[in-house]
Amino acid sequence: MASRSNLAMALTAATLIAGTVTAPAAFAGTVTAQAYTCQYSQSGVNGYAGHYRGMTVIPSSTGVSSSGIEAQCLLKKIGFDPGTIDGVFGSNSKAATRAFQSYVNDRSGYTVMKVDGIVGSQTWPELRYYAAMYI
C-alpha cells in the first residue's frame, strides 16, 4: 500500500507542477500587457522615443511591435493619450491617432492626411515633426 500511496502522491505532484507550468500559456490573453518607457530624443526636425526610427511600418493592432510602442510614445508626448504604452495599437491608440490626424489637418487648413487612425506613410512624418516640438 505504501508504494501505491507514493505513486499517487508523485502523480499528483507531477500534475500540479505541469499545470503550473502550462497554465500561464493557456491564460496568456488575459494577462495585462507590459508598459514600456519612452526615451525621447530629437534629430533635426524629427522626434524619437527610442523604439523605432523608421517611418514606414504600420503598428500592429494584434501584437506588440516596436513601431506601436514608438507611435504610442510620440502620441502621448504630443498630448494625444493612447492609453497604456504597451505596443499593441488598439482602440485607444487609434482614437488618439485620429484626433492627431484631425488636429494636423485643421491646423494646416487643408487635408494633409487621411483621418483613419493608422500611423502610415503620411502620418509618421507629421508625428515625428510634432513630437520634436515637445522634446
Side-chain angles (χ1 to χ4, degrees), residues 13-14 26 49-50 73-74 93-94 97 105-106 123 128 130 132:
C73 286
L74 298 179
S93 298
K94 288 178 183 179
T97 301
N105 288 343
D106 292 346
T123 304
R128 293 215 183 275
Y130 278 88

Side-chain angles (χ1 to χ4, degrees), residues 22-129:
T22 59
F27 297 103
T30 62
V31 177
T32 56
Q34 175 183 344
Y36 292 89
T37 58
C38 308
Q39 301 295 322
Y40 298 105
S41 65
Q42 183 179 347
S43 178
V45 297
N46 291 322
Y48 297 92
H51 296 279
Y52 169 69
R53 293 194 64 84
M55 291 198 218
T56 58
V57 176
I58 296 172
S60 172
S61 62
T62 59
V64 176
S65 67
S66 58
S67 62
I69 300 167
E70 182 80 6
Q72 289 172 332
C73 286
L74 298 179
L75 285 163
K76 186 170 188 169
K77 186 69 170 175
I78 297 167
F80 296 91
D81 187 9
T84 303
I85 308 296
D86 60 5
V88 180
F89 221 73
S91 59
N92 290 338
S93 298
K94 288 178 183 179
T97 301
R98 283 190 297 276
F100 170 71
Q101 290 166 331
S102 292
Y103 170 79
V104 172
N105 288 343
D106 292 346
R107 185 166 177 175
S108 300
Y110 63 95
T111 303
V112 174
M113 68 190 91
K114 187 175 179 182
V115 178
D116 57 8
I118 297 170
V119 180
S121 62
Q122 293 179 331
T123 304
W124 272 117
E126 298 296 327
L127 191 56
R128 293 215 183 275
Y129 175 78

